[in-house]
Amino acid sequence: MTDGVLSAGGVGLDVLEDLYRGRGGVAVDPGVRAVVDTSSTIVAEAASGDEPVYGVNTGFGKLASIRISPDDTTALQRNLILSHCCGTGDPIDPETVRLMMILKVLSFCRGCSGVRWAVVESLLALLASDVTPVIPSQGSVGASGDLAPLAHMSAVLIGEGEAIQGDRRVTGKEALAAAGIQPLVLGPKEGLALINGTQFSTAVALAGLFDAWRIVRTSIVTAALATDAAMGSTSPLDSDIHRLRGHQGQIDVAVAMRALMAGSDIRESHRSGDARVQDPYCLRCQPQVAGAAIDLMRFVARTLTLEANAVTDNPIVLTKTGRIISGGNFHGEPVAFAADLLAMAVSEIGSISQRRVALLIDPAFSFGLPPFLATDPGLNSGFMAAEIATAALMSENRHLANPCSTDTTPTSAGQEDHVSMSAHGALRLGRMNENLAGIIATEALCAAQGVETRAPLLTSPPLRRALRCIRKDVSALSGDRYLMPDIEMARRLVRSGELESACGVDDLPRLTMESYRSAR
């Protein structure tokens, strides 16, 4: 991406995140138009020819053997869109819808889909006019493309369906009229190209990855704060230990935690004469657990970046040879596997964080902290019930982390007999991230309370900055009070990345290994 212009096949993860978060406009390198025009010309010639070409002059799926007259091309493509608008469930958020539309533009700009440049322009016009199609979250099985969600997106292009414009939910026709956009009249293959592809699953999975990464980076901060609150040892962070194992994520987490805890008076106070030979695993093995999760997330990032730039519709137009070939790039298995791996990582980060919350409230393990971190225990219950809530969130995430990619069911009268369930895998990530943020937020509050209990000893300078970030919005627990607003405020600090940014430490891991290694 240069000066806000998307190049076909070369958009990196950082650019995709900027687009997801609404940082910058969307434009396309005009140099890609020539290959797009060439591919649409090839399709137009096939539509009027005698040779059957799937989805161009034939029906779809099990109806592929039925020939379609050139006079019915527009009706064929329009009917395809309308018949597939059968999604259900709550609409997905506008940010993810916009990313989904951008991914479809990127795919078309590879010049292998046979659509006219007008289709690309129509999608860009919706983005520029802040017209966001209403897309139900359920209805895709992640093979033959994300058919239903993409159909709902495409319906707005032809003046059907529903859209959000400003703060109003209106018909697609009304949205186009208000934005001054003409409804698109579909040409050969264009309806099929619009609804074939993995852009829904990929956009939802990317949103899950971007949000999870913020939370996971923050979990390293709360882990360091909790370790100091529990007067845990920093010996397990020694660089030699982690080099001997060699996993990059593990090494990176240890580097970050050493930087976060450097200069802690609390740590120095018990460096010698500590009766504990070894800390519980939730303190001692944080680099190993969080590092393994980070390694998975980096693999997921690579997979989803490839998929975001890929051609995933069918059939595919090869402009160099003029051939139109049917294949299976619409199958969402790579995205489904990526979503499952990300779900596992999110679940495990929450699991080890929850154990630190449990440790901090338990006087048998917290090395002198009051029961449940309460002032005047007995009269006050402190964080007793907050820990129970984190256990509920952890348990739910464990259930949600069960794989979706291993499920399949035949569809379309057996023609589409193996599907990926990539949409299911991606969709559950949003709920898992909310759960994880709740666990990490509670750990932040418990760890802050524990560190302050160690006064006059102070934690490290970076963690003191994290503590100030927490305390500007949430005061220390001096007695029992209505806790939900405190947890929700801390959750906001976690989800926004504000808490990890407050530390001012440059050694927190990066998601893309290329940028990480160059920065190191």
Side-chain angles (χ1 to χ4, degrees):
M1 185 174 184
T2 305
D3 297 329
V5 178
L6 303 178
S7 58
V11 178
L13 194 69
D14 54 343
V15 175
L16 293 170
E17 182 168 11
D18 283 343
L19 292 169
Y20 167 63
R21 302 202 184 279
R23 298 191 287 254
V26 181
V28 171
D29 179 359
V32 304
R33 178 167 182 172
V35 68
V36 172
D37 288 341
T38 300
S39 73
S40 68
T41 299
I42 293 170
V43 167
E45 291 172 352
S48 59
D50 296 329
E51 188 72 22
V53 179
Y54 175 74
V56 176
N57 54 16
T58 75
F60 308 104
K62 200 76 169 180
L63 304 176
S65 60
I66 300 175
R67 291 293 299 272
I68 305 298
S69 165
D71 294 337
D72 292 328
T73 294
T74 296
L76 174 71
Q77 300 300 319
R78 182 180 179 86
N79 289 346
L80 179 67
I81 298 297
L82 297 177
S83 67
H84 283 68
C85 287
C86 53
T88 188
D90 295 333
I92 61 171
D93 60 280
E95 294 79 11
T96 304
V97 175
R98 286 178 59 83
L99 181 58
M100 172 181 164
M101 295 163 69
I102 290 166
L103 297 187
K104 183 55 82 172
V105 168
L106 287 175
S107 181
F108 284 166
C109 286
R110 296 290 298 273
C112 299
S113 298
V115 302
R116 293 164 298 147
W117 187 248
V119 179
V120 176
E121 289 180 320
S122 292
L123 284 166
L124 293 174
L126 292 189
L127 291 164
S129 302
D130 199 24
V131 174
T132 307
V134 174
I135 300 179
S137 55
Q138 295 171 286
S140 173
V141 296
S144 199
D146 291 311
L147 297 173
L150 286 168
H152 283 278
M153 178 198 79
S154 306
V156 176
L157 292 175
I158 62 175
E160 299 285 352
E162 291 184 295
I164 303 296
Q165 188 169 45
D167 58 356
R168 297 189 309 138
R169 181 167 173 167
V170 298
T171 67
K173 183 177 180 179
E174 290 170 331
L176 293 185
I181 302 170
Q182 288 295 316
L184 185 66
V185 177
L186 297 171
K189 192 186 176 292
E190 290 177 346
L192 183 60
L194 281 162
I195 71 169
N196 250 201
T198 63
Q199 286 78 30
F200 174 79
S201 296
T202 304
V204 176
L206 281 169
L209 175 65
F210 296 144
D211 291 345
W213 185 250
R214 276 185 173 179
I215 302 170
V216 169
R217 277 171 59 99
T218 304
S219 78
I220 299 171
V221 175
T222 59
L225 196 63
T227 300
D228 230 13
M231 301 189 85
S233 174
T234 54
S235 296
L237 303 177
D238 189 285
S239 60
D240 288 339
I241 294 174
H242 305 288
R243 287 198 193 99
L244 284 170
R245 197 172 197 187
H247 294 295
Q248 189 63 50
Q250 177 179 327
I251 292 168
D252 297 345
V253 173
V255 167
M257 290 189 69
R258 289 197 300 271
L260 286 164
M261 299 184 71
S264 167
D265 296 338
I266 297 173
R267 173 60 185 136
E268 293 304 320
S269 72
H270 64 98
R271 191 177 288 276
S272 60
D274 194 336
R276 292 177 299 179
V277 177
Q278 293 188 125
D279 290 321
Y281 287 0
C282 66
L283 301 181
R284 193 183 352 148
C285 300
Q286 169 68 2
Q288 287 79 3
V289 174
I294 283 171
D295 284 338
L296 280 186
M297 293 177 78
R298 286 170 172 163
F299 175 83
V300 169
R302 179 180 177 275
T303 297
L304 295 181
T305 302
L306 283 171
E307 193 74 2
N309 287 279
V311 177
T312 58
D313 59 307
N314 178 63
I316 288 175
V317 183
L318 303 178
T319 55
K320 290 184 178 179
T321 61
R323 292 187 298 160
I324 302 174
I325 304 179
S326 288
N329 277 5
F330 50 70
H331 200 289
E333 200 79 348
V335 181
F337 281 153
D340 281 350
L341 291 175
L342 181 53
M344 290 168 56
V346 167
S347 179
E348 281 299 277
I349 291 291
S351 181
I352 196 169
S353 172
Q354 199 281 331
R355 295 319 304 157
R356 288 191 294 268
V357 173
L359 180 148
L360 290 174
I361 67 166
D362 187 346
F365 292 98
S366 64
F367 204 66
L369 294 177
F372 304 107
L373 297 165
T375 56
D376 196 4
L379 177 63
N380 293 298
S381 296
F383 288 94
M384 179 190 294
E387 184 270 334
I388 295 171
T390 62
L393 297 176
M394 174 186 68
S395 178
E396 183 175 356
N397 270 5
R398 286 175 174 172
H399 287 284
L400 289 171
N402 283 308
C404 295
S405 58
T406 54
D407 185 22
T408 185
T409 184
T411 62
S412 194
Q415 177 74 8
E416 297 154 11
D417 58 351
H418 184 281
V419 299
S420 73
M421 299 301 180
S422 57
H424 291 66
L427 282 165
R428 79 358 178 131
L429 296 173
R431 185 172 182 87
M432 293 187 71
N433 282 335
E434 284 296 324
N435 291 344
L436 177 60
I439 297 170
I440 303 302
T442 304
E443 181 181 10
L445 296 180
C446 290
Q449 189 86 4
V451 162
E452 289 171 332
T453 303
R454 303 296 183 188
L457 295 174
L458 298 175
T459 189
S460 67
L463 294 180
R464 288 203 296 272
R465 290 191 288 271
L467 193 58
R468 286 195 294 272
C469 178
I470 295 168
R471 289 293 176 244
K472 73 180 175 61
D473 292 318
V474 183
S475 60
L477 195 63
S478 58
D480 284 351
R481 63 173 184 251
Y482 189 57
L483 269 180
M484 188 186 75
D486 294 352
I487 295 171
E488 289 307 308
M489 184 60 70
R491 188 201 296 263
R492 183 190 64 78
L493 296 175
V494 170
R495 291 221 56 166
S496 67
E498 187 176 345
L499 182 56
E500 59 102 346
S501 296
C503 296
V505 169
D506 293 330
D507 290 293
L508 288 168
R510 292 167 174 80
L511 183 54
T512 54
M513 288 303 297
E514 293 78 12
S515 63
Y516 182 76
R517 285 175 176 144
S518 64
R520 300 287 286 174

